[in-house]
Amino acid sequence: MHKILSSYTLLVFLILGSINVYAYTNESDSIPSLLQKDLDHLRSEDDLEQWLYMRMDYAANKPSERIKYLMETAEAAWRQPKNEYERQAWLDLLMYQGYYQLQLGRIIPSIKAYEAAYSYYFDDPIPGNDIVEFLLKPLGNNYTRLGDYRRAEFITRKSLTMAIESGEDDKIAASCCNLAIVALTQEQLDTAKVYAKMGVAYAENYPPLNGLLHSLMANIYEHAGELEEAGNYARLAVQIMEHASAEGDHDHAYRLSAAYEAQGNIAMARQQWKLARILYGKAYQVLINAYPEQRKREQARLLVSKAQVALASGDVQMSLSDFNKALQVLLPRMQLAGKPRSSDLYGDFTLVDALVGKAKCLYEIHDKRNALNYYLLSYSVEQKLHRAYASRDMRLLHQQESLDLAAAAMKTAYELWQETADTKFLSNMLQVSEWTKAQSLREEIDAAIRQSQLDQRDSLVASQQQLLRAIAYHEKELATSGNDLDQLQQTVEGLNFQLALVQAELEKKYPHFAQQKYLDKTFSAAELCSKIPKRVTAITYFADANYLYTIMLNRQGIQQVIRQDSSQGKLQYAKDFMQRYFRSGISAMISYPKRYYQDAYHLYRWLIEPLHIRPGQALLIVPAGSIGYLPFDALITREGLADNITEWPYLLKEHSYSIAYSLQTWVQQQELPLAGENEVTGFFVNEGREARELPAVVKERNLLEEVAVGTYLGDTAANIKQFKKLLTKAQILHISTHAYLEGEPPMPVLQMSDDKFYWFELFQYKFQPGLVVLSACKTGDGMLAEGEGIISLAREFAAAGAAGVVAGLWNVNDEAGAAMVASFYKNLSRESKPYLALHRAKLSWLQEHREDPGLQMPYFWSVLTYAGHYHDVPLMKHLPWYQRYWHVGVALIILLAVLTWYFYRYRRKHL
């Protein structure tokens, strides 16, 4: 995605009309006294309209020096607009802010300004505005630059609809161009071709736009590998732009540069290195000559392209020189060969490409220390980009696409540690490993914490909750309906866009809502180690295309790092192991116990044995890829099959274990508030709509009611309405029902008595239970999102605020599941720590079924896993009969005393 976003040019909106620059000659940073005098006069006259335009004109004269002054204008205003003229000036101010932030290469501030303009205009439209050209087009382009395709497509479709309604061919062509770019960046090449060709048809009478669309067609065909066709479009683009008049067209040079760049892309695809550098250089020179102080991002992108060509051709020094020049353009305060400061970094794909490119060059010349530093800096930029995405699916996609960067950084850090024995490189490796785990989950947990601190009576909060409910409703319709999917998808995208705007308003109103308590702080390796309890060993895995890394740490620090080859083969082995012995039922395990024993030992030998962990240590596992599906306690710890299955050396017998989505999220869960004694809120659905009967659910409920005080709802009472009502009040939430994956991609679903509950519906609720127990099937299973983890129902409860979750990894045997859950609660009533209670429940199962070899198989007892905090969750237990009925005894004593008194009084009176 980085390559596409940084290489393919975007259609940028035209200059916001002619700017009447205020004629002041004072060049100092302070506001000229004459200007200040005029501004004060306008304020005294209460002339807000002219006051706004005067500040805008002054800032437009030197935007790079006066951008701060422009951005402070709204805050400096003494009141809000009252009439249409003032409202127009206010809208122009917001669009000016977005425009000049973009010209200075600051995409995220530009987006925020344009979003503010969007809200301001569409809340109460102002007639006479070319809103497509000056607001929707640049806002959509910014989203595309950022890689936020969902919002880009929503805004650009809105632009196209308005352009078609107005019948303006140039705006229709421009909107088609932008939609083609959105499709291209998502590698939807056929869709991109359709939109681009449609744009060409409407742009026939607009040569500059026609030339840009031909450049785009060249890029689409080049990306599809159709280089001959791509070359034809690129030649036409150059011809159109070279013959088009530049008079009155401020963007002529930009479009001509785009045509040369398209030719450079084709030459690079053909490995014509010399020609590619010439064409990129030509495109760069056109930009420099026409826009010496503008188009900095485009200039940097071309320098990066030149550097990438040089690196591909083996000219490392030339490549390093061009990457340095690109960085100097993007980071003006950086010296030509100096190192950027973290405080100067911002979210931008071209900046990522420049930093990563320089890291590769440094690695090639054996300067691995500086190479690693540049990889780490590039990740800082990646983080800023990641947080700017409004939708979860875009964050997950971005996380997946960052894996190559993490792999290069991990390889460099490992080699430095091997060469120097410097333990700081171990810390770097742990940091890199954390990059690739649960970043979106971390953000969602943090958002849940901050959301709980908002005033729920606030109208903005009410709007936010209303939008969340609407999104959940329409997403449910999208998941279950077979009709009007396009319309439903557009509705969801529109609601998500409105939600993003409301979130921005909340951040302004509630500063603590914008302050990300954990996200702005990356815990160092030492800090993460200090959070690990005594007698607990944490193991985190990292897998790339070539290597599997295992990092072991405890309270004293990082103890070991092991690198093994053939990582993909090992991950596939784990995936096949799960499919063969667990997901497909018990038959393979029963029929081929020796094979199971050997396969389980092989996995143990790769994943645990090299670490030489002392028996008795609790294990905190942070998995990677398909390792996350494994029941670790079912692994075999010694070679050599024991004849008696009761003697099999399961890892369960040496270690308790729990799962963490990442060490950072595990730390978050440790700090969530927990109640004292906890009541259980239980839902037990024996037979839901379209589901088979589950007799063991009744048994599970009866066993649980014997152990813990709570509210238990079964059959028709365990319906969607009651579930949603009690969800936010639960201290311990217990759900025993059908669960399964549905749709494409597969989504976790819970079956209540009258309807389905989808995972995405959780986000509209505010709740922080100390423990959630999902005894249904496959609640810990789900889609694997590379770079993030397994997207399961258990994970979604964690994201919504649950401090700890017990979940099932496969289709649990009903009777075994009910007995295991009951045993878990009995142990929890004694032990209080969920991960230990679950561990002891499994040991109890093996002890109680020693005479039945079949029930000794892990299929029955290892299905449940725990992920979350290590704190106590004490159950509110039933009191002994003499405590429960003490008040009855007191009442009887009082009654006996009264009767005795009356008896004696009666006797004295009558004797």
Side-chain angles (χ1 to χ4, degrees):
M1 183 172 71
H2 290 187
K3 172 65 179 172
I4 297 172
L5 285 171
S6 61
S7 297
Y8 297 148
T9 54
L10 306 179
L11 178 64
V12 180
F13 61 97
L14 301 174
I15 291 249
L16 291 172
S18 59
I19 300 172
N20 299 316
V21 178
Y22 206 91
Y24 293 104
T25 58
N26 192 323
E27 300 298 330
S28 67
D29 291 337
S30 61
I31 300 171
S33 58
L34 181 58
L35 172 62
Q36 188 61 57
K37 183 177 179 181
D38 286 351
L39 287 169
D40 291 342
H41 173 72
L42 290 171
R43 182 188 289 261
S44 68
E45 294 290 319
D46 198 33
D47 190 345
L48 180 63
E49 179 194 4
Q50 291 304 313
W51 183 87
L52 289 169
Y53 282 122
M54 190 173 288
R55 286 181 67 107
M56 282 186 267
D57 289 345
Y58 174 69
N61 189 25
K62 284 192 171 183
S64 60
E65 298 175 12
R66 298 169 182 170
I67 188 67
K68 186 172 184 287
Y69 180 77
L70 180 66
M71 301 307 294
E72 292 172 346
T73 299
E75 188 177 345
W78 62 95
R79 62 174 174 82
Q80 291 294 307
K82 293 180 179 178
N83 57 50
E84 190 171 300
Y85 299 105
E86 292 177 351
R87 292 187 65 245
Q88 180 64 57
W90 198 274
L91 177 64
D92 288 342
L93 168 67
L94 296 173
M95 292 193 295
Y96 262 52
Q97 290 174 339
Y99 174 76
Y100 284 113
Q101 289 283 17
L102 179 60
Q103 291 300 300
L104 295 171
R106 302 168 181 172
I107 293 178
I108 294 175
S110 177
I111 285 174
K112 290 185 180 298
Y114 278 124
E115 285 178 344
Y118 179 98
S119 295
Y120 192 77
Y121 176 82
F122 283 101
D123 282 349
D124 187 6
I126 306 167
N129 277 282
D130 190 350
I131 213 69
V132 171
E133 188 69 27
F134 300 136
L135 174 55
L136 297 182
K137 194 189 294 185
L139 179 56
N141 286 339
N142 272 346
Y143 287 143
T144 307
R145 288 185 179 96
L146 192 65
D148 197 339
Y149 313 128
R150 292 284 183 259
R151 287 197 286 183
E153 187 171 0
F154 170 75
I155 288 294
T156 311
R157 282 185 183 277
K158 195 178 186 76
S159 299
L160 180 59
T161 300
M162 295 177 72
I164 291 172
E165 289 173 354
S166 66
E168 298 174 271
D169 287 357
D170 59 332
K171 290 185 173 59
I172 294 173
S175 297
C176 288
C177 181
N178 286 347
L179 283 169
I181 292 165
V182 171
L184 174 60
T185 51
Q186 298 179 84
E187 304 202 33
Q188 298 169 356
L189 301 183
D190 290 338
T191 303
K193 288 177 183 178
V194 169
Y195 279 122
K197 288 177 180 178
M198 181 180 172
V200 168
Y202 277 98
E204 186 176 357
N205 296 321
Y206 303 92
L209 186 53
N210 196 20
L212 188 60
L213 277 157
H214 275 77
S215 297
L216 176 59
M217 288 294 290
N219 286 329
I220 295 169
Y221 278 98
E222 179 267 317
H223 196 64
E226 301 175 52
L227 299 185
E228 185 174 349
E229 193 70 14
N232 292 335
Y233 275 109
R235 280 191 297 274
L236 282 172
V238 171
Q239 290 173 15
I240 292 169
M241 292 312 305
E242 286 182 341
H243 289 89
S245 172
E247 187 176 349
D249 182 6
H250 182 269
D251 291 323
H252 178 273
Y254 168 69
R255 292 176 175 129
L256 178 59
S257 173
Y260 291 140
E261 183 180 7
Q263 288 187 319
N265 293 338
I266 296 164
M268 188 170 183
R270 288 172 170 160
Q271 297 186 6
Q272 297 170 333
W273 311 126
K274 185 176 180 180
L275 178 59
R277 275 191 65 83
I278 290 171
L279 289 166
Y280 286 140
K282 197 171 182 179
Y284 175 73
Q285 200 59 50
V286 168
L287 284 184
I288 285 290
N289 292 340
Y291 316 107
E293 299 301 325
Q294 294 179 313
R295 303 285 187 188
K296 295 294 186 182
R297 183 176 176 277
E298 287 80 2
Q299 293 172 22
R301 187 182 66 237
L302 287 165
L303 286 167
V304 166
S305 295
K306 288 178 64 183
Q308 289 170 338
V309 171
L311 186 60
S313 64
D315 193 338
V316 178
Q317 290 301 330
M318 183 178 288
S319 177
L320 187 58
S321 174
D322 281 336
F323 279 128
N324 279 329
K325 290 175 184 176
L327 287 170
Q328 193 175 28
V329 171
L330 293 165
L331 304 168
R333 286 188 279 185
M334 189 188 95
Q335 297 298 317
L336 184 59
K339 179 184 172 183
R341 295 181 300 184
S342 297
S343 59
D344 292 337
L345 300 178
Y346 53 90
D348 183 270
F349 283 110
T350 304
L351 180 55
V352 172
D353 289 339
L355 291 167
V356 171
K358 183 167 181 179
K360 290 178 179 178
C361 288
L362 292 167
Y363 184 89
E364 287 296 319
I365 61 176
H366 308 293
D367 187 358
K368 293 181 182 179
R369 288 177 183 267
N370 277 318
L372 180 59
N373 288 334
Y374 273 87
Y375 281 130
L376 298 178
L377 285 171
S378 64
Y379 178 69
S380 297
V381 179
E382 289 276 15
Q383 270 195 318
K384 295 176 189 294
L385 284 166
H386 184 84
R387 294 177 195 171
Y389 294 131
S391 64
R392 168 198 270 203
D393 56 348
M394 292 313 306
R395 291 194 296 271
L396 292 179
L397 177 62
H398 179 255
Q399 183 75 2
Q400 181 177 343
E401 291 175 336
S402 299
L403 284 177
D404 287 344
L405 166 60
M410 181 69 86
K411 180 175 182 285
T412 307
Y414 181 82
E415 290 175 359
L416 283 166
W417 173 58
Q418 289 286 292
E419 293 166 8
T420 67
D422 190 335
T423 57
K424 75 177 181 182
F425 298 119
L426 295 178
S427 299
N428 291 143
M429 293 177 70
L430 181 61
Q431 180 184 0
V432 172
S433 178
E434 284 288 291
W435 292 356
T436 64
K437 295 180 175 63
Q439 290 296 308
S440 292
L441 175 60
R442 185 181 171 208
E443 292 169 6
E444 288 157 8
I445 292 174
D446 189 77
I449 294 170
R450 289 179 287 128
Q451 185 72 32
S452 68
Q453 300 167 0
L454 294 179
D455 182 355
Q456 301 301 308
R457 298 164 296 181
D458 188 298
S459 60
L460 264 180
V461 178
S463 295
Q464 178 204 43
Q465 296 302 308
Q466 186 178 30
L467 284 166
L468 285 168
R469 286 192 291 272
I471 290 167
Y473 171 78
H474 284 93
E475 284 186 332
K476 188 171 184 177
E477 288 293 302
L478 195 61
T480 57
S481 174
N483 301 316
D484 299 324
L485 296 184
D486 288 343
Q487 184 59 47
L488 280 169
Q489 185 62 53
Q490 290 180 36
T491 300
V492 170
E493 288 171 3
L495 291 168
N496 273 311
F497 187 80
Q498 293 177 49
L499 178 62
L501 298 180
V502 170
Q503 300 277 64
E505 290 299 313
L506 280 170
E507 290 179 2
K508 289 181 184 177
K509 188 169 184 179
Y510 296 95
H512 73 270
F513 188 74
Q515 293 169 357
Q516 297 168 307
K517 181 178 179 183
Y518 296 98
L519 299 185
D520 291 334
K521 174 180 173 54
T522 300
F523 290 100
S524 67
E527 289 171 320
L528 288 173
C529 290
S530 70
K531 304 287 185 179
I532 299 173
K534 294 178 180 178
R535 293 184 293 280
V536 173
T537 296
I539 307 170
T540 182
Y541 298 95
F542 174 88
D544 59 27
N546 300 306
Y547 301 111
L548 173 65
Y549 297 85
T550 305
I551 304 173
M552 186 182 83
L553 58 154
N554 57 26
R555 198 176 186 86
Q556 283 71 47
I558 299 175
Q559 302 300 312
Q560 286 193 68
V561 173
I562 295 169
R563 186 172 78 172
Q564 301 177 64
D565 296 331
S566 307
S567 64
Q568 295 307 303
K570 291 176 171 62
L571 293 180
Q572 187 62 45
Y573 196 99
K575 186 176 180 180
D576 294 343
F577 176 83
M578 284 301 300
Q579 186 63 40
R580 182 181 302 116
Y581 297 115
F582 296 99
R583 290 178 177 163
S584 299
I586 184 68
S587 60
M589 197 178 290
I590 291 289
S591 302
Y592 307 102
K594 183 176 181 179
R595 184 176 176 183
Y596 172 82
Y597 190 102
Q598 291 171 341
D599 288 348
Y601 174 67
H602 279 312
L603 286 168
Y604 173 79
R605 190 161 50 87
W606 294 331
L607 300 174
I608 303 292
E609 188 177 58
L611 301 174
H612 304 292
I613 304 170
R614 293 193 310 273
Q617 287 282 300
L619 304 184
L620 176 63
I621 305 290
V622 187
S626 55
I627 294 173
Y629 293 118
L630 290 174
F632 273 75
D633 47 14
L635 300 184
I636 297 294
T637 62
R638 289 193 302 278
E639 197 171 10
L641 177 67
D643 294 332
N644 187 349
I645 194 171
T646 60
E647 304 300 323
W648 279 18
Y650 293 119
L651 184 138
L652 174 77
K653 297 177 180 180
E654 296 183 13
H655 305 281
S656 62
Y657 96 103
S658 63
I659 294 293
Y661 301 103
S662 73
L663 292 174
Q664 303 276 353
T665 57
W666 183 80
V667 170
Q668 283 175 295
Q669 290 180 306
Q670 307 311 303
E671 301 193 18
L672 289 171
L674 299 176
E677 287 192 321
N678 297 268
E679 289 191 23
V680 175
T681 301
F683 293 87
F684 301 84
V685 180
N686 182 37
E687 184 178 5
R689 182 185 297 176
E690 303 174 359
R692 65 183 178 84
E693 187 174 349
L694 296 174
V697 168
V698 177
K699 178 181 178 182
E700 183 173 311
R701 175 181 175 175
N702 293 336
L703 291 171
L704 184 51
E705 283 187 294
E706 293 176 5
V707 178
V709 174
T711 302
Y712 298 93
L713 301 177
D715 299 325
T716 57
N719 54 50
I720 281 287
K721 183 179 179 181
Q722 285 295 324
F723 183 70
K724 292 178 178 179
K725 178 182 177 183
L726 298 177
L727 189 62
T728 59
K729 302 174 183 177
Q731 296 168 324
I732 296 177
L733 178 65
H734 182 97
I735 303 172
S736 180
T737 180
H738 290 279
Y740 45 88
L741 302 175
E742 181 176 280
E744 188 58 45
M747 294 179 291
V749 179
L750 279 175
Q751 178 68 59
M752 306 312 291
S753 66
D754 60 341
D755 205 352
K756 299 172 183 176
F757 185 86
Y758 290 82
W759 64 266
F760 47 72
E761 296 183 79
L762 280 170
F763 295 104
Q764 60 183 302
Y765 299 101
K766 171 191 170 185
F767 78 124
Q768 289 184 330
L771 179 64
V772 173
V773 179
L774 304 169
S775 68
C777 303
K778 291 190 174 182
T779 46
D781 195 4
M783 177 186 71
L784 176 61
E786 293 292 349
E788 177 67 22
I790 296 169
I791 310 300
S792 65
L793 196 62
R795 179 199 183 280
E796 301 317 312
F797 273 99
V805 183
V806 173
L809 290 175
W810 55 86
N811 289 327
V812 61
N813 175 274
D814 295 340
E815 291 291 332
M820 186 64 65
V821 167
S823 179
F824 163 73
Y825 278 105
K826 287 178 182 176
N827 281 284
L828 188 65
S829 67
R830 307 184 193 107
E831 167 51 50
S832 293
K833 292 187 189 303
Y835 81 97
L836 284 177
L838 184 59
H839 176 68
R840 287 170 184 169
K842 293 176 180 181
L843 289 174
S844 297
W845 174 276
L846 290 177
Q847 184 63 33
E848 291 166 7
H849 297 89
R850 288 183 62 83
E851 304 305 318
D852 189 333
L855 293 179
Q856 290 279 306
M857 289 294 184
Y859 179 84
F860 293 101
W861 54 261
S862 67
V863 61
L864 296 178
T865 62
Y866 174 76
H869 65 82
Y870 273 25
H871 301 304
D872 291 341
V873 182
L875 285 173
M876 185 175 289
K877 294 175 282 191
H878 293 296
L879 297 172
W881 67 267
Y882 54 83
Q883 292 184 21
R884 276 183 279 172
Y885 300 109
W886 65 268
H887 53 284
V888 176
V890 170
L892 288 173
I893 292 170
I894 293 172
L895 178 62
L896 182 62
V898 170
L899 289 175
T900 302
W901 179 75
Y902 272 107
F903 174 75
Y904 281 110
R905 186 175 179 185
Y906 178 83
R907 286 190 61 189
R908 290 179 62 185
K909 186 175 181 180
H910 292 88
L911 291 177

